[in-house]
Amino acid sequence: MTQHRMSLTTAADTLAAIPALLGFTPDNSVVIIALADDGNGSHLVAPTARVDAHQAEAAAGIITDALTRQDTPVTAVILAAIADTTHAGAALIGLDAIRDALAAAGIRTIRALHTYSLTAGTTFTDLDRFTDGTIPDPATTALATARTADGAVIAASRADLEDRYAPSTEIPESLALAAAATMGTDFLPVTFDELAAVIHAREIPSADLTARVGLALATGHLEVRDAFLAMSIHGDADAADAFTRIAAPLRGTARANALTIAAYFVYCTGDGAAAHAALQAAERTAERANVPLPSLTGILLRVLNAGMPPEEVKGIGAVITPDYIAAHIGTVQSYT
């Protein structure tokens, strides 16, 4: 994700920036905006995390562990409880628990806020300064405008984010099996090249191509699945979009793998919330189909929970070299 300058000078600025920072508008949550000292008297925004209001107190230790393991040391945080009257009590207790755990680790809380929702005009309270204010329109912040210009979509809610990874009408595997019988040994390299061309051109994968990618992902050969991580050379965001579309009409192992690959690419763009939603969809898919959860899914879940920076996540795909592709896919034109 492209880094953009933003103002977190005021409480109003901070709350309005949260949807753009997370990639969706949270509710009944505690949000943790981690900050690192840039050495010039300013702060850099490090990971931004969200936890459900009723899970925040229990998650205080996990959040603290994740923030203390960052490559760029986190020196401070801004905490925000975004919760309605039903959930505010749990959110505020959780916020205090997180604040205490972070303080014990030497990370100070420079601002603690509460609001009922992140809607323009909603009143917020600065819990330490005992002052109130109103939230400006989050959609018009400089950060939201910049992220939208980069092609990011800021979901209206967590549910809308999860809907991106919902299944659609199934494409029968027979479509891919017929293609495989006709193409023979060309099946994998041609499928790989066609998908690379589609991602590079920012096109929508056809039903035929989707079915063929699904068959390749359903074989259980981890090397074949991992080879698709090489699509990062055509852009992580575009690769994430393609695999999100491919996953929708697939089922079982193929869908779980496609969702996991989409999660990998979207995490590499810096969108941890969308990556988590895709991984959760992969978990549901495996459970409902009674198939093993892909090993990469578990790895990425652990990586995400640890707050690993996207730049380090990209390293997972570093082994996918031209030689790797040739060995497991065959000779291709798109990655040589």
Side-chain angles (χ1 to χ4, degrees), residues 24-46:
F24 70 99
T25 301
D27 60 4
N28 298 323
S29 307
V30 176
V31 174
I32 304 95
I33 303 174
L35 304 171
D37 192 336
D38 69 355
N40 296 312
S42 298
H43 287 97
L44 299 173
V45 175

Side-chain angles (χ1 to χ4, degrees), residues 75-213:
T75 56
V77 296
I78 298 172
L79 302 178
I82 300 141
D84 58 28
T85 54
T86 302
H87 300 84
L92 292 170
I93 290 171
L95 184 150
D96 283 340
I98 293 169
R99 185 207 295 255
D100 290 344
L102 291 171
I107 299 174
R108 64 192 180 97
T109 298
I110 61 175
R111 196 182 294 273
L113 308 168
H114 170 250
T115 185
Y116 293 114
S117 72
L118 293 178
T119 305
T122 301
T123 300
F124 68 83
T125 299
D126 187 314
L127 299 172
D128 296 330
R129 295 168 177 82
F130 305 106
T131 56
D132 296 330
T134 57
I135 300 173
D137 186 355
T140 63
T141 65
L143 180 60
T145 301
R147 289 212 62 201
T148 302
D150 286 343
V153 177
I154 301 172
S157 67
R158 174 75 183 181
D160 285 351
L161 187 63
E162 292 171 349
D163 284 345
R164 293 183 194 173
Y165 304 103
S168 63
T169 303
E170 183 177 3
I171 291 179
E173 191 178 64
S174 58
L175 184 65
L177 291 171
T182 300
M183 298 168 70
T185 57
D186 289 334
F187 177 80
L188 280 177
V190 169
T191 298
F192 190 91
D193 274 336
E194 288 185 13
L195 178 60
V198 164
I199 293 172
H200 186 74
R202 298 181 176 179
E203 297 174 346
I204 296 175
S206 66
D208 173 70
L209 178 58
T210 295
R212 283 187 279 131
V213 173

